[in-house]
Amino acid sequence: MTSDVAPATQSTREPAPRRELPARRRNSLKLRRTLTGWSFILPGFLAFATLTLVPVLTMFYVSFSDWNVFGSPKWTGLDNYQRLLGDKTFHASLWHTIYYTIVHMPLTVVLSLLLAVLLNQKLKGVAFFRSAAFFPYFTSIVAVAQVWNMLFSPQFGPINTFLRFIGIDNPPGWVGSSDWVMPAVIIVGTWRQVGYYMLLFLAGLQTIPRERYEAAMVDGAVGWQRFWFITLPSLRPTMFLVTVMCTIGSFKILDLTLVMTNGGPGTSSLVLSQYIYRMGFERHDFGYASAVAVVLFAICTTVTLIQFLYNRAKED
């Protein structure tokens, strides 16, 4: 009886040599690929250069000049920056901006993370609660400001009515008080933005493999240990993104204070962005407004660079 299986044989055929393209055709193919790449990059780069790069470079030049839009800027050197040193309104707006950022940024990040962890569970009606949390973000800022101003009304607002009901005889004056106006703005700003950052954290949470949690449970890790040793390290890229975006957004706060308090009472809630707006578009002192904008730009760049270096050191 003979076997039907033929013995395996190893192919000894040499691979066919690659045909080299002619030099002219290679150059044509390379040029076509280059043009294809530029056709994707160029529109975005032109938009960036026209709408961002050129205005920023112009801002730096105008900050060293005296310019009221009409005529050509008059070069004044460092006069605008020396004027900043003695400008008490600038100092107040700088402090209010830093105060808002220091309180608003960590509060927003922590609350949005906790909300994302909660809404990442298998709860009944979780889709409704996610939508409800995101609702304030796309609501009109004018409507938000008007509603919260009514809620914060010192005499007839429901917030102070509730505080009096629980025994607080002298509730805060909120937007009518120079001491409480910034906490009121921070509360509204946090309430409005928590939903947006919650979505970013939620997207990050859903990329964490379930096997990590199952392995931790087998090892006996309890809830807070799984959160501390698995969830937080796995969310580091998302945490970095959210922290940078929230920090820059806090430094650039404008719309909320503009429609909710208009910087008042007095200058109690005046922030740098609104001060730039006032000096530029109300007093037409664009040279000085550009100098304030350069300061704000430098602060945002410095803080972002520190956050980037800290994140890279943690990754190493």
Side-chain angles (χ1 to χ4, degrees):
M1 183 175 180
T2 60
S3 173
D4 296 335
V5 179
T9 58
Q10 183 175 4
S11 175
T12 58
R13 298 176 59 185
E14 296 291 336
R18 295 182 57 185
R19 295 177 57 186
E20 293 290 338
L21 295 175
R24 184 176 179 182
R25 189 174 176 185
R26 287 202 306 269
N27 293 335
S28 175
L29 183 60
K30 184 178 180 181
L31 178 62
R32 189 168 59 184
R33 289 177 176 174
T34 304
L35 291 177
T36 302
W38 274 106
S39 67
F40 284 102
I41 297 174
L42 199 58
F45 179 77
L46 289 177
F48 169 76
T50 306
L51 302 176
T52 304
L53 184 61
V54 172
V56 168
L57 295 177
T58 305
M59 176 193 70
F60 277 95
Y61 172 74
V62 173
S63 70
F64 294 99
S65 67
D66 182 12
W67 189 43
N68 61 357
V69 179
F70 302 104
S72 301
K74 180 182 177 183
W75 183 265
T76 57
L78 296 175
D79 287 356
N80 287 328
Y81 293 95
Q82 291 177 347
R83 181 179 164 190
L84 288 176
L85 299 177
D87 187 349
K88 294 183 179 179
T89 306
F90 166 73
H91 297 163
S93 62
L94 177 61
W95 163 243
H96 297 150
T97 305
I98 294 174
Y99 175 29
Y100 179 85
T101 303
I102 289 176
V103 180
H104 171 262
M105 192 276 286
L107 187 63
T108 302
V109 171
V110 170
L111 290 180
S112 57
L113 175 60
L114 295 178
L115 192 60
V117 172
L118 176 64
L119 295 182
N120 195 41
Q121 310 299 320
K122 294 180 180 178
L123 303 175
K124 188 175 182 180
V126 68
F128 168 78
F129 290 113
R130 289 176 182 175
S131 303
F134 188 66
F135 179 76
Y137 184 73
F138 59 81
T139 305
S140 167
I141 187 64
V142 177
V144 168
Q146 290 299 326
V147 170
W148 276 98
N149 274 336
M150 289 190 288
L151 295 175
F152 280 132
S153 174
Q155 297 298 327
F156 308 105
I159 294 177
N160 278 6
T161 302
F162 174 75
L163 293 177
R164 292 191 191 94
F165 175 76
I166 62 175
I168 299 177
D169 296 331
N170 296 311
W174 301 115
V175 292
S177 165
S178 58
D179 295 329
W180 284 93
V181 64
M182 284 305 297
V185 172
I186 291 170
I187 291 172
V188 180
T190 303
W191 170 81
R192 186 167 181 261
Q193 294 189 334
V194 157
Y196 174 71
Y197 295 114
M198 178 268 299
L199 282 185
L200 298 182
F201 278 124
L202 202 56
L205 286 171
Q206 294 180 358
T207 63
I208 302 175
R210 302 298 303 174
E211 290 79 7
R212 296 185 184 178
Y213 293 104
E214 292 171 358
M217 292 174 67
V218 171
D219 291 339
V222 295
W224 72 268
Q225 290 174 323
R226 295 196 296 271
F227 175 78
W228 188 259
F229 294 106
I230 297 177
T231 303
L232 282 183
S234 302
L235 280 178
R236 180 169 296 159
T238 308
M239 181 71 75
F240 174 68
L241 174 67
V242 168
T243 305
V244 170
M245 291 178 62
C246 191
T247 303
I248 295 177
S250 301
F251 276 118
K252 296 194 306 180
I253 176 70
L254 170 64
D255 51 358
L256 185 58
T257 58
L258 190 65
V259 297
M260 186 175 175
T261 66
N262 197 22
T267 58
S268 302
S269 61
L270 184 66
V271 292
L272 280 180
S273 295
Q274 190 175 355
Y275 190 51
I276 295 169
Y277 175 83
R278 283 186 179 181
M279 299 307 295
F281 294 97
E282 293 180 1
R283 302 183 185 180
H284 306 291
D285 192 352
F286 282 90
Y288 190 62
S290 298
V292 180
V294 168
V295 173
L296 180 59
F297 179 82
I299 293 174
C300 290
T301 304
T302 304
V303 173
T304 303
L305 184 61
I306 293 173
Q307 290 175 320
F308 175 78
L309 294 176
Y310 178 79
N311 183 67
R312 194 171 67 172
K314 283 291 184 180
E315 287 182 346
D316 294 340

